[in-house]
Amino acid sequence: MRTDRHRRLAGLLLVLAFLGLVGPVSRSLEERRVSIYAPQASYRVAVVERDHKEYVGLLDVLEPLGAASASNAGAEWTIRGSGGEARFTEGKTNGKVRGNKVELAAPLLVENGRPLVPLRSLATLLSRFLDTRVDVHDSSRRVFIGNVGARFTTELKKGEPPALVLNFSMPVSPSISTEGGKLKMVFTRDPVVSATENFSFDDKTISALRYDESSGAAELTVSGSAPLLASFSNGGRTISVSVAPAQAALAQAAPPGAPGVTATPAPGAAAAPPGQGKTGPAEFPRSRYLVIVDASHGGEERGADLGKGIAEKDVTLAFARRIRAELQNRGITTVMVRDADTALALQQRAEMANAAHAAIFLTIHAGTMGSGVRVYSSMLPPSAEASAVFLPWETAQARYVDSSHALADGITLQLGRRRVPAESLEAPVRPLNNIAAVAIAIEVNAPAANPRAFHSPNFQLTVASAVAEAVLAARTRLEAAR
Ligand SMILES: [Zn+2]
């Protein structure tokens, strides 16, 4: 039984990786930006083109490094910051930084009362202004101020499955996407650097790692012979990449044919009959009403300490499993993002939901903020852009936000009927904004603020049945809308 199920899981993962082709970021909407890494902040600044030259706002660059201001008397501009003072003249290339002459690569421009300087001159300006070392990677638009830089080591751990372990000198948070046997990590906020571009490994499943820089980011691409999965540990300093093991990620929940359980692929869907044991896209349950349940946190990322030694990651998994069971009891196909104690990045969770074309994404949290349940939906303003195939990653939720609010209200109503105090709120809970489906976060707090209640099957069941009833009630409306 177990083997069959694992094969099915592998099939599902394969499809998800395959669908990863539909990446979260629409390239055409990507702005040109320079990434700036300093000990006190990492940030990106928009690059604009004027007279066929790239410019950046000098205050945009200086402000995150400490208070900065610009004032002018006619065309004469004075820029003051924590580092010192610079003087330039609008339309001229010559100026002074901390009393020393500098020559800009192109004339100073002023727009909306803010001075623009040529990107090519940024390194010189910053190193003089801040009196520190500044390295610029021109072609990739990355600026390193002072002694910043996240280096990494690689180690291929043989085992079942083998894993490529990357240890970074500081915590990192790449966005991750997969395509076939390639897993790409894009580091925009992290000053990841490498002297080596191509790493190769003596392994059949994970053969190579490539380091690239472009568009204000560093990229690491792992090549494997099968779909790969990344997991984080060591406080974000370690990333392990391995062939997606079934238990590590998506678990297709419904063992088809189990008593009292009905998986419900839509008519004409490509779901294979149970027990066929074949892997591949055919086994993906293309239900039009697929619910993804995400137990937040996991692995070394324990979430909140809920008291009495109870970690949030375990409580979220327990509630997620209850919710899955209640949904399946109502004939709703349900998939867990994790069905084990696994660390997963928020981006991966969102990408899984999007790749699976889920109808509903429920992410579960637990907390110690009083008692009762808070149901969160996105704060994004609704958008009616209906036919977009590629949705902007940061606002993927906008098309669904009205339905998300409605589902949050529905769950709150159902909880109230079961005498569980509940409220529906709008808040920037990650990764809701990145989900192209109805998406809500459910934060469970223990009754009477007693953490032991998190373990109560009765309490778990009450919350789970309320959620499942509301999801069922939303089904008719959502299916009509899809
Ligand atoms: Zn949490």
Side-chain angles (χ1 to χ4, degrees):
M1 279 311 286
R2 202 170 160 75
T3 334
D4 269 2
R5 191 161 155 207
H6 279 200
R7 277 204 214 111
R8 289 181 56 82
L9 297 175
L12 182 58
L13 285 162
L14 188 71
V15 176
L16 290 176
F18 194 69
L19 292 168
L21 282 165
V22 184
V25 179
S26 166
R27 289 284 160 201
S28 61
L29 293 175
E30 205 174 54
E31 283 181 74
R32 247 192 280 177
R33 287 168 186 270
V34 57
S35 289
I36 298 173
Y37 309 103
Q40 62 269 52
S42 288
Y43 51 102
R44 310 186 85 190
V45 172
V47 176
V48 295
E49 196 176 301
R50 299 288 180 267
D51 300 327
H52 306 292
K53 292 193 175 65
E54 292 185 319
Y55 277 86
V56 287
L58 187 52
L59 289 179
D60 297 338
V61 173
L62 292 175
E63 274 161 357
L65 300 173
S69 65
S71 58
N72 69 309
E76 306 295 322
W77 282 80
T78 304
I79 294 98
R80 291 187 184 85
S82 52
E85 193 180 277
R87 289 170 184 278
F88 290 99
T89 306
E90 187 176 354
K92 298 267 165 61
T93 54
N94 58 322
K96 278 189 173 179
V97 177
R98 289 158 71 108
N100 297 310
K101 280 189 185 170
V102 291
E103 189 76 19
L104 298 175
L108 183 84
L109 301 179
V110 177
E111 288 182 4
N112 304 316
R114 293 169 76 84
L116 301 178
V117 295
L119 183 58
R120 274 183 55 202
S121 304
L122 196 58
T124 317
L125 282 181
L126 284 176
S127 63
R128 302 261 180 97
F129 197 77
L130 303 170
D131 196 21
T132 186
R133 180 180 158 184
V134 176
D135 291 317
V136 176
H137 297 190
D138 269 322
S139 58
S140 59
R141 298 195 198 91
R142 302 176 83 212
V143 177
F144 301 79
I145 297 173
N147 197 20
V148 291
R151 306 200 162 266
F152 59 90
T153 59
T154 64
E155 184 191 352
L156 192 89
K157 286 217 163 115
K158 301 270 180 187
E160 262 317 311
L164 173 60
V165 179
L166 304 171
N167 279 304
F168 293 82
S169 57
M170 60 186 277
V172 292
S173 55
S175 66
I176 294 173
S177 60
T178 50
E179 185 182 325
K182 285 203 191 314
L183 182 141
K184 187 195 266 189
M185 294 170 265
V186 179
F187 303 80
T188 49
R189 297 198 165 272
D190 311 309
V192 171
V193 288
S194 175
T196 310
E197 279 185 0
N198 290 300
F199 303 79
S200 56
F201 308 103
D202 179 22
D203 187 82
K204 281 195 196 78
T205 47
I206 298 178
S207 51
L209 171 71
R210 183 172 167 78
Y211 174 85
D212 285 299
E213 285 188 17
S214 69
S215 317
E219 292 178 5
L220 285 173
T221 308
V222 186
S223 300
S225 59
L228 299 168
L229 185 75
S231 62
F232 291 75
S233 57
N234 191 20
R237 285 180 175 81
T238 302
I239 300 176
S240 303
V241 179
S242 57
V243 170
Q247 73 279 8
L250 284 161
Q252 205 243 319
V261 174
T262 33
T264 54
Q276 194 166 300
K278 214 173 66 182
T279 58
E283 289 188 55
F284 184 54
R286 281 302 293 261
S287 169
R288 293 176 67 207
Y289 201 70
L290 174 70
V291 177
I292 296 215
V293 182
D294 171 35
S296 68
H297 312 290
E300 294 193 16
E301 206 238 292
R302 295 171 56 83
D305 177 4
L306 301 176
K308 309 264 183 217
I310 301 171
E312 185 185 357
K313 64 170 186 172
D314 298 322
V315 172
T316 61
L317 184 55
F319 275 84
R321 285 173 173 158
R322 287 275 180 196
I323 291 168
R324 171 181 62 187
E326 287 303 301
L327 287 168
Q328 286 175 347
N329 285 345
R330 287 163 179 78
I332 295 169
T333 311
T334 308
V335 165
M336 302 265 282
V337 168
R338 69 173 176 98
D339 196 11
D341 187 17
T342 314
L344 285 163
L346 287 168
Q347 288 97 331
Q348 277 181 295
R349 297 172 196 254
E351 280 174 11
M352 282 178 183
N354 294 346
H357 298 293
I360 293 181
F361 175 85
L362 307 170
T363 183
I364 316 300
H365 286 265
T368 54
M369 298 277 284
S371 62
V373 176
R374 287 187 188 79
V375 187
Y376 296 98
S377 46
S378 167
M379 295 176 81
L380 283 178
S383 145
E385 269 181 74
S387 63
V389 174
F390 293 96
L391 293 165
W393 174 247
E394 295 302 334
T395 57
Q397 175 61 199
R399 269 172 67 195
Y400 304 89
V401 77
D402 284 336
S403 299
S404 298
H405 294 330
L407 179 61
D409 293 344
I411 292 174
T412 307
L413 181 79
Q414 291 290 343
L415 285 163
R417 284 186 185 161
R418 288 162 176 78
R419 300 184 192 291
V420 176
E423 53 182 333
S424 170
L425 302 160
E426 290 172 31
V429 179
R430 295 174 68 203
L432 297 183
N433 286 356
N434 312 128
I435 307 279
V438 174
I440 57 164
I442 299 166
E443 184 205 74
V444 184
N445 297 278
N450 173 13
R452 289 191 213 282
F454 284 123
H455 292 323
S456 153
N458 228 339
F459 178 51
Q460 291 179 3
L461 194 59
T462 304
V463 172
S465 67
V467 172
E469 268 314 300
V471 169
L472 185 65
R475 178 179 190 157
T476 317
R477 195 164 33 83
L478 287 174
E479 276 194 335
R482 276 159 81 87

